[in-house]
Amino acid sequence: MLVEQIMKTPVITLQPTNTIAEAIQLVRQRRIRHIPIVDGDDHVVGIVTDRDIRDASPSIFHFHEHLEDLQKPISTIMKTEVIVGHPLDFVEEVAALFYEHKISCLPIVKDRKLVGIVTETDLLYTLIQLTGAHQPGTQIEIKVLNESGMLSKAAAIIAKRNTNISSVLLYPAEEKNYQILVFRVQTMNPIGIINDLKNAGYTVLWPNLPGVSS
């Protein structure tokens, strides 16, 4: 999946000369948490988050004593070292950027111009879509040897039950030379599939249903 498939457009922005007060109003009215700061050519020159704005705002106990602070330009609080992405980046690569750099949004740039934005909420929703967790179904986890063809063999067993597979995930098992396959299947009664997998020699980790042959 590419970034251009999940990025939000158009992007709500401000320029460096806009005031902190304008940023506060924008965050409240549009219910957003991140504001890319652009110049007259839509080049990203900074970014401001709702936390930056809160930190720069006067305390509610001394609000009227420091109203002049709200008239300062947004350039005084924006972060200028901005990590950006491209519409043709892969979503999993963007997720790695979020994790490695501990960021909560990523402006998307094409030909140096801002064309979209991806937030951590967008990534979480994409994960839900990719795993099929938003659809009725059952998750089945099996442990298999880390050998070629294991995925297709297990999927073929599920297919014999005329059951659709919504998604497949794979991650390393704790034991060396093994991996875990996680199938999301479109059935609420997985007992037949579980029995078929166990009869074929697979170790079913989840669901561990009582009364199902081991």
Side-chain angles (χ1 to χ4, degrees):
M1 182 176 287
L2 300 177
V3 165
E4 64 181 1
Q5 296 174 262
I6 70 168
M7 69 184 188
K8 293 288 192 302
T9 59
V11 187
I12 300 170
T13 64
L14 289 175
Q15 295 194 344
T17 52
N18 286 112
T19 65
I20 296 174
E22 290 174 312
I24 292 173
Q25 184 178 19
L26 190 61
V27 166
R28 290 175 178 173
Q29 288 182 345
R30 305 302 293 269
R31 297 183 179 180
I32 57 177
R33 295 175 52 203
H34 315 90
I35 306 176
I37 311 302
V38 298
D39 62 16
D41 296 317
D42 280 338
H43 298 160
V44 178
V45 295
I47 195 161
V48 169
T49 67
D50 57 344
R51 182 172 182 175
D52 297 327
I53 295 171
R54 286 197 305 269
D55 291 344
S57 301
S59 166
I60 59 174
F61 300 106
H62 305 282
F63 186 81
H64 295 289
E65 299 176 16
H66 302 280
L67 290 178
E68 69 278 4
D69 290 343
L70 299 180
Q71 299 308 312
K72 292 180 179 179
I74 203 75
S75 60
T76 59
I77 65 170
M78 71 182 188
K79 293 181 176 66
T80 56
E81 295 183 3
V82 185
I83 300 172
V84 299
H86 188 275
L88 298 183
D89 288 339
F90 290 111
V91 170
E92 57 267 33
E93 294 173 347
V94 167
L97 282 177
F98 273 64
Y99 176 76
E100 292 171 8
H101 297 279
K102 295 180 174 57
I103 57 177
S104 56
C105 77
L106 188 73
I108 307 302
V109 173
K110 182 179 181 181
D111 297 328
R112 298 183 60 203
K113 294 182 180 292
L114 181 69
V115 294
I117 190 170
V118 174
T119 68
E120 53 192 356
T121 301
D122 298 324
L123 287 180
L124 285 173
Y125 180 68
T126 300
L127 177 62
I128 291 172
Q129 289 183 304
L130 290 175
T131 58
H134 62 307
Q135 300 176 352
T138 301
Q139 181 170 303
I140 299 176
E141 297 185 20
I142 62 175
K143 183 173 69 173
V144 299
L145 284 169
N146 188 12
E147 297 177 352
S148 61
M150 298 302 289
L151 172 59
S152 60
K153 292 176 182 178
I157 293 173
I158 297 173
K160 288 181 180 179
R161 289 277 175 173
N162 295 319
T163 302
N164 290 332
I165 298 174
S166 301
S167 66
V168 182
L169 298 176
L170 182 151
Y171 63 91
E174 294 181 359
E175 299 177 58
K176 188 178 180 181
N177 298 325
Y178 282 87
Q179 57 190 4
I180 308 298
L181 294 177
V182 184
F183 292 94
R184 183 83 180 179
V185 295
Q186 294 180 0
T187 179
M188 300 306 293
N189 183 8
I191 293 178
I193 296 174
I194 293 172
N195 278 325
D196 291 347
L197 289 168
K198 288 185 174 182
N199 291 335
Y202 292 97
T203 300
V204 178
L205 303 178
W206 182 266
N208 187 7
L209 301 177
V212 179
S213 60
S214 58

